[in-house]
Amino acid sequence: MPLSADPVATIDVGSNAVLLLVARMTGQGRLITLVDRATITGLGRGVDRAGELSPASIEATLRVLRSYAEQAVAAGATEVRAVGTSALREARNAAAFLGPAAEVLGSDVEVISGDREAALTFRGAIEGIEVSAPEITVVDIGGGSTEVVRGTREAVAAATSLEIGSVRLFERHLASDPPTAGEVASLREEVRRVVAASPVRPSVPLVGIAGTVTTVACLIHAIDPYDPDRVHGLRVSGDEIATLAERLTAMSLAERKALPGLDPARADVVVAGTLLLLEIVEHAGAPEVVVSNGGVRVGLALELVC
């Protein structure tokens, strides 16, 4: 199929954040970003406990979709594609969101399987990332699930979707403010158990994507406001992640909300996400994580334009 020069818009409706990408392909086969947005709506909050999307999270997410649809049109996008992940796979009332969302966007939100999410994640994560090893492990820490994908630049070799994410772990374990040592230990023990049982073992080199990983990078490298060009390709060491996790765990929610480089809407789940990332890094024996600003929305855009 010939490369498309027309802009396309892709939307990743995640369990914690909704992401928009408007991009076009150059004649040289390079993807150029025109618009890149991320907004925390918490669509999946409460799904692990109640099994349903809340009316408030549905409405918040629909508001963001309306804004994204307008931005896509203004940027000249000729096609808008949206996909939904963990929260929409699990919520028994997902139709309460999917129907209105289709009206807003003019097309259905495709609720993708864990396998398809992993494939899009991998393709989008490694775009523009320089890693010399022939095989790469991509880790995508979402709100409801974490995808672990191993492969080469040519193909995905193995992938799995783990039912642990920053929102899910926060809701299961971290009831106190700040979290107690017992709560932190309980969270880390669940992550160790799930990762150890994973059919796809994280290995080096590790490429990390999504809001938890990019936030960790911003906090460690003092990047505020968020700059995707600075974040993409950054490397953060396991020791730096461990130090940050200890620092965040000791802080109250109010203190975390005031941190430069941290979206206040992520301040409650960032401890769980950082501890999850730390456990994966330690399990893999990885000295560092290469940070990518890519992910599902980039993988989907590449799928549309190539």
Side-chain angles (χ1 to χ4, degrees), residues 195-214:
V195 173
S198 169
V200 181
R201 177 186 172 89
S203 59
V204 294
L206 275 181
V207 174
I209 69 164
T212 286
V213 177
T214 56

Side-chain angles (χ1 to χ4, degrees), residues 82-101:
V83 296
T85 55
S86 176
L88 292 172
R89 287 196 292 266
E90 296 179 27
R92 55 178 171 262
N93 67 335
F97 168 78
L98 292 171

